[in-house]
Amino acid sequence: MATDVAARGLDINNIANVINYDTPNHIDDYVHRIGRTGRAGKQGKAISFINEKNNPVIKNLIGLLTESGQTVPEWFMKMYKDTLNKNFNGNRKYYGGR
């Protein structure tokens, strides 16, 4: 477990998983956080908790997922479209992601 301070500049071996409980709203911060798993040619997994409060990063995150050949889940696209249309009333919705 770490904060944004640990997202940059630390080179720690064998980190296989990153969990973003409080996903950053800036794509560069997000990339640096999940990059902790991809050191020295190794692969890992990043799990991020996302809701409407993360609107500033959602569009960029969809771009990164697409660019890297990842599947963009339907529930994530729906959440993105909802934030564009402002069809939510400020209450958090559960979109069924895993």
Side-chain angles (χ1 to χ4, degrees):
M1 179 186 290
T3 65
D4 279 341
V5 173
R8 297 177 189 233
L10 296 180
D11 194 8
I12 303 169
N13 294 327
N14 299 321
I15 295 178
N17 298 289
V18 170
I19 299 174
N20 283 308
Y21 179 76
D22 185 18
T23 299
N25 281 324
H26 299 284
I27 198 66
D28 289 340
D29 294 336
Y30 178 85
V31 168
H32 282 285
R33 279 193 194 181
I34 67 168
R36 302 298 99 200
T37 64
R39 296 290 181 204
K42 295 185 179 179
Q43 293 184 5
K45 293 188 181 199
I47 299 168
S48 299
F49 290 85
I50 303 277
N51 63 40
E52 293 90 349
K53 286 185 175 183
N54 299 112
N55 187 34
V57 78
I58 292 173
K59 180 180 179 182
N60 291 322
L61 186 50
I62 290 171
L64 282 177
L65 290 169
T66 303
E67 182 180 313
S68 65
Q70 300 291 315
T71 301
V72 179
E74 188 175 317
W75 65 265
F76 194 70
M77 290 301 297
K78 180 174 178 0
M79 183 174 64
Y80 173 62
K81 289 175 186 175
D82 283 353
T83 60
L84 284 179
N85 296 325
K86 298 186 182 354
N87 286 338
F88 62 94
N89 61 9
N91 295 325
R92 292 183 184 156
K93 297 178 183 176
Y94 175 70
Y95 286 89
R98 41 180 193 131

